[in-house]
Amino acid sequence: MLLITTLALMSITCHAQGQLAEQQPGTLFAYPMAPDTCSTLESRCNYIISHFWDNFDISKPISDDVAFETTFRDFVDFFRYGHRNVVLSAARDLVNKAQSNTANLQKLGEVAERALYGTEAEYWSDEVYVAFAKPLAGSKRLPRAVRDHYAEQLTRINSVQVGSVLDFEYVGLDGLKHQLSETEAETYILLFIDDNTDSMIGRLRLSTDVALNALLNAGGTKLLCLCMNKYSADWASTAATYADNWTIGCGSNLMRDLDLRVFPCCYVLDAQRTIVNKSLSVERLLLAVNPN
């Protein structure tokens, strides 16, 4: 990745609108630089976001897929400093312009998914990704399977947005079906894990954290650990050893029904099971629990 923040800060030295930074190796074109009338970081980034693709015709074939992805990721890197409305407008404008070239539209969707939604994303934003995924799901230019792929993602995103109430079924250690709503708590921590090494390490870190254990033992907060597998007696025997103050469950359908992109993955819910935060890493959850 380029030093985008540095570029944005340096852009204030440009005295005329429409000037460009020096094109960097591995990118498709030179990026715009904001005029000196843009006096704040947000305003400079807003300008760059709005004019980023001005000198690139996305209706023409993309000759270098790697450079396209690098350029797109640099575009996304400005999003964290720009205004929400500017970012969403630029995203919609880009995907609309790409509609005239089916191959480019499909490439744009794949790159947007990796940069904004998938496990390789450095900037996760459901709202911005939806600005790309929604028109892709509805584009008759794309193959049905591709449209369905984005439609399924939109369904998962919309069903578990921050601010929505969450409930789902899982299988407990007892082999019986349970609903999340059967458990009452002031705060819910949902830990979703699979059988990879990262999940095992994350689970161990949470189970041994002093501050988190004190919070759970106080009674107001409950942690539900959910494994992405079908129930079996062998699994239940192993999972029962995870932590005495956790509720343990499993469900092979959870991956399909919930918006889970990486493992381990944490959700935080309030007493009404409203999603307060989602797709948290173990590190971010522990930072919240151990603020000092």
Side-chain angles (χ1 to χ4, degrees), residues 89-215:
S89 177
R92 295 187 188 107
D93 183 60
L94 180 60
V95 73
N96 286 338
K97 288 179 179 178
Q99 293 277 0
S100 61
N101 186 312
T102 303
N104 288 0
L105 181 64
Q106 190 161 343
K107 287 180 182 178
L108 177 61
E110 293 167 356
V111 170
E113 181 174 350
R114 289 194 290 270
L116 292 164
Y117 182 80
T119 58
E120 303 170 26
E122 295 181 10
Y123 177 78
W124 271 353
S125 172
D126 288 355
E127 187 175 34
V128 178
Y129 182 62
V130 165
F132 287 98
K134 189 173 182 179
L136 288 164
S139 177
K140 294 183 179 180
R141 288 179 172 272
L142 296 175
R144 180 62 179 270
V146 175
R147 300 200 310 266
D148 288 347
H149 172 73
Y150 292 110
E152 290 170 2
Q153 288 181 339
L154 290 170
T155 298
R156 288 196 297 271
I157 291 172
N158 290 332
S159 66
V160 287
Q161 289 181 334
V162 171
S164 61
V165 176
L166 187 61
D167 197 12
F168 55 82
E169 184 179 87
Y170 66 93
V171 179
L173 291 174
D174 54 9
L176 301 177
K177 293 180 179 180
H178 299 272
Q179 289 288 134
L180 174 63
S181 53
E182 294 174 7
T183 302
E184 294 185 0
E186 295 174 12
T187 302
Y188 299 80
I189 297 174
L190 308 182
L191 171 64
F192 299 97
I193 64 174
D194 61 5
D195 57 2
N196 68 32
T197 301
D198 288 342
S199 283
M200 180 183 70
I201 294 172
R203 174 173 55 77
L204 290 173
R205 290 182 63 192
L206 291 175
S207 65
T208 56
D209 186 80
V210 175
L212 178 59
N213 276 301
L215 196 63

Side-chain angles (χ1 to χ4, degrees), residues 270-292:
D270 67 13
Q272 287 73 45
R273 305 188 318 283
T274 301
I275 300 174
V276 176
N277 215 326
K278 58 181 267 191
S279 301
L280 286 172
S281 65
V282 167
E283 289 76 13
R284 288 182 62 193
L285 179 63
L286 288 176
L287 281 175
V289 175
N290 298 273
N292 298 321

Side-chain angles (χ1 to χ4, degrees), residues 245-270:
N245 52 5
W246 291 9
T247 300
I248 313 294
C250 68
S252 57
N253 62 327
L254 295 173
M255 185 72 178
R256 180 198 67 204
D257 297 338
L258 301 177
D259 185 24
L260 305 174
R261 308 172 203 176
V262 295
F263 295 99
C265 173
C266 303
Y267 279 40
V268 178
L269 317 180
D270 67 13

